[in-house]
């Protein structure tokens, strides 16, 4: 349904032909303010079919595509979303991406930062639905080895400085012998790029914590908890509205479930209690789902606390 309030209603008047700037503002308003993608897609379709006359108008095209891709990405944050709907979101994102990519803009080179941001946004969507290979193909050169034969320096030179590239670099090196290097990479990006596009996002932090979960290091949970604490206490992330979400808490619990700590059951219950308090206080990014409970129960079982495991099982 088309919005009926200004400035969008004005754009619908037959006497006025909307400009690229006006359409771009409409896409921004619908995706960033209201979160609605359906009417924004219509405005974007009209916008991308027009011919920009200067760099500012070209930027309007790219920024509108970027706003839509970010909105699609955010819609995937619900872990319990039906797979068919998630696939539909990916198809919609690919459509937006290709409509811009197939265009030729005289004032934009092939390696322009605008294209790189667009690549990063689609790669982020691919990574969130488990299509890591396609994400890598977007961000790394076609001849770049992704079979583990590359080195950390190779990836640093080849990948772009954005959170998605950082995530993919970490996945490439998240083997037991290199998980510490992967974490160092995240911390480097975190401290060197405050409040910038290269700032590691929630997905990057969760990837690093999951890497520690797959590690055999005895201090794996401590390392994951340090990352969690860094994210939770970061004033920059708080200012940007980024704080631990269900995925990040899940990664922490997964790491705990593999730690074989005697205190794992008590720690798992404390983490669940913290999640409950945040959810009840209005934090919409945190909720107790089946994945959370499963990892918490596994943590209790590894600590040989069957009573705690059964208690959590009844709460599911």
């Amino acid at each position: 349904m088309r919005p009926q309030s200004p400035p969008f209603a004005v754009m619908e008047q037959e006497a006025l032909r909307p400009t690229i700037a006006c359409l771009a503002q409409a896409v921004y308003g619908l995706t960033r303010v209201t979160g609605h993608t359906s009417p924004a897609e219509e405005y974007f379709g009209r916008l991308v079919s027009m011919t920009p006359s200067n760099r500012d108008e070209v930027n309007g095209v790219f920024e509108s595509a970027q706003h839509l891709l970010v909105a699609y990405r955010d819609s995937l944050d619900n872990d319990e979303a039906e797979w068919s709907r998630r696939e539909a979101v990916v198809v919609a994102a690919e459509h937006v991406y290709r409509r811009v990519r197939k265009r030729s803009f005289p004032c934009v080179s092939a390696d322009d930062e605008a294209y790189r941001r667009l690549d990063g946004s689609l790669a982020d969507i691919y990574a969130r639905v488990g299509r890591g290979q396609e994400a890598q193909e977007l961000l790394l050169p076609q001849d770049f080895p992704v079979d583990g034969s590359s080195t950390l320096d190779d990836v640093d030179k080849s990948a772009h400085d954005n959170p998605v590239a950082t995530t993919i670099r970490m996945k490439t090196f998240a083997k037991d012998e290199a998980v510490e290097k992967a974490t160092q990479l995240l911390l480097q990006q975190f401290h060197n790029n405050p409040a910038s596009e290269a700032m590691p996002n929630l997905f990057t932090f969760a990837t690093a914590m999951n890497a520690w979960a797959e590690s055999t290091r005895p201090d794996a949970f401590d390392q994951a908890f340090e990352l969690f604490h860094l994210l939770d206490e970061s004033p920059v992330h708080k200012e940007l509205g980024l704080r631990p979400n269900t995925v990040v808490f899940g990664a922490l619990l997964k790491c705990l479930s593999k730690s074989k700590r005697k205190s794992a059951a008590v720690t798992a219950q404390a983490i669940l209690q913290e999640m409950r308090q945040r959810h009840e206080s209005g934090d919409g990014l945190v909720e107790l789902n089946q994945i959370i409970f499963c990892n918490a129960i596994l943590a209790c079982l590894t600590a040989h606390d069957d009573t705690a495991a059964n208690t959590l099982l009844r709460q599911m």
Side-chain angles (χ1 to χ4, degrees):
M1 181 179 295
R2 293 182 179 179
Q4 297 301 315
S5 58
F8 312 117
V10 176
M11 293 167 51
E12 295 302 310
Q13 297 177 13
E14 293 293 333
L16 295 177
R17 178 179 181 271
T19 63
I20 287 181
C22 190
L23 287 167
Q25 185 62 32
V27 173
Y28 171 82
L30 288 166
T31 56
R32 299 297 294 274
V33 179
T34 70
H36 297 154
T37 58
S38 182
E41 290 166 349
E42 179 182 345
Y43 286 124
F44 174 77
R46 295 165 65 181
L47 179 155
V48 80
S49 65
M50 301 170 69
T51 302
S53 59
N54 53 54
R55 182 60 197 244
D56 286 340
E57 291 190 342
V58 170
N59 289 342
V61 174
F62 278 96
E63 289 169 4
S64 296
Q66 187 77 6
H67 291 319
L68 270 172
L69 292 179
V70 169
Y72 292 138
R73 180 203 68 193
D74 292 345
S75 72
L76 296 171
D77 283 343
N78 180 5
D79 286 341
E80 298 180 348
E82 293 183 3
W83 187 254
S84 59
R85 190 190 70 80
R86 294 167 70 86
E87 283 296 297
V89 169
V90 175
V91 170
E94 289 175 331
H95 179 67
V96 168
Y97 174 84
R98 289 167 182 157
R99 292 201 69 177
V100 176
R101 265 298 189 179
K102 72 179 183 181
R103 290 286 305 274
S104 175
F105 301 102
C107 54
V108 181
S109 62
D111 61 347
D112 191 277
E113 181 65 27
Y115 282 123
R116 292 169 58 178
R117 285 196 295 268
L118 211 60
D119 293 342
S121 293
L122 183 60
D124 201 354
I125 290 172
Y126 280 148
R128 286 171 189 246
V129 296
R131 293 163 64 170
Q133 182 66 35
E134 289 166 278
Q136 293 186 64
E137 290 172 358
L138 273 175
L139 293 177
L140 300 177
Q142 292 185 356
D143 59 349
F144 186 84
V146 293
D147 56 0
S149 63
S150 54
T151 67
L152 187 60
D153 289 338
D154 291 334
V155 186
D156 277 335
K157 293 174 182 177
S158 301
H160 305 317
D161 288 325
N162 62 49
V164 183
T166 301
T167 302
I168 290 175
R169 281 182 277 181
M170 284 169 35
K171 285 187 174 182
T172 304
F173 295 97
K175 307 288 191 282
D176 187 39
E177 67 277 7
V179 64
E180 189 169 353
K181 289 185 177 180
T183 302
Q184 290 173 356
L185 178 62
L186 181 151
L187 296 177
Q188 176 184 331
Q189 292 291 81
F190 179 86
H191 292 297
N192 294 345
N193 302 281
S196 74
E197 292 181 355
M199 186 78 167
N201 57 24
L202 298 180
F203 189 65
T204 312
F205 271 86
T207 300
M209 294 163 69
N210 278 318
W212 281 108
E214 301 303 325
S215 168
T216 58
R217 288 265 298 266
D219 63 338
F221 176 74
D222 294 328
Q223 296 288 343
F225 185 77
E226 285 187 18
L227 290 175
F228 176 89
H229 183 72
L230 177 65
L231 174 63
D232 199 32
E233 297 298 321
S234 166
V236 176
H237 275 82
K238 287 182 179 179
E239 186 175 327
L240 296 174
L242 296 174
R243 56 192 181 278
N245 61 1
T246 303
V247 176
V248 173
F249 272 103
L252 185 63
L253 281 167
K254 180 181 178 181
C255 206
L256 177 64
S257 71
K258 297 190 175 186
S259 68
K260 299 181 180 180
R261 293 188 170 204
K262 294 181 179 180
S263 60
V266 175
T267 304
Q269 291 172 318
I271 292 174
L272 290 182
Q273 181 60 26
E274 177 66 20
M275 292 184 69
R276 285 194 188 93
Q277 292 177 352
R278 295 193 184 201
H279 180 74
E280 292 171 358
S281 65
D283 190 342
L285 295 180
V286 178
E287 61 180 18
L288 298 175
N289 58 28
Q290 290 186 351
I291 296 176
I292 292 295
F293 272 106
C294 285
N295 281 322
I297 291 172
L298 284 174
C300 294
L301 292 175
T302 58
H304 305 290
D305 193 333
D306 295 344
T307 301
N310 289 329
T311 299
L312 294 180
L313 186 61
R314 289 192 295 270
Q315 294 176 10
M316 290 182 67

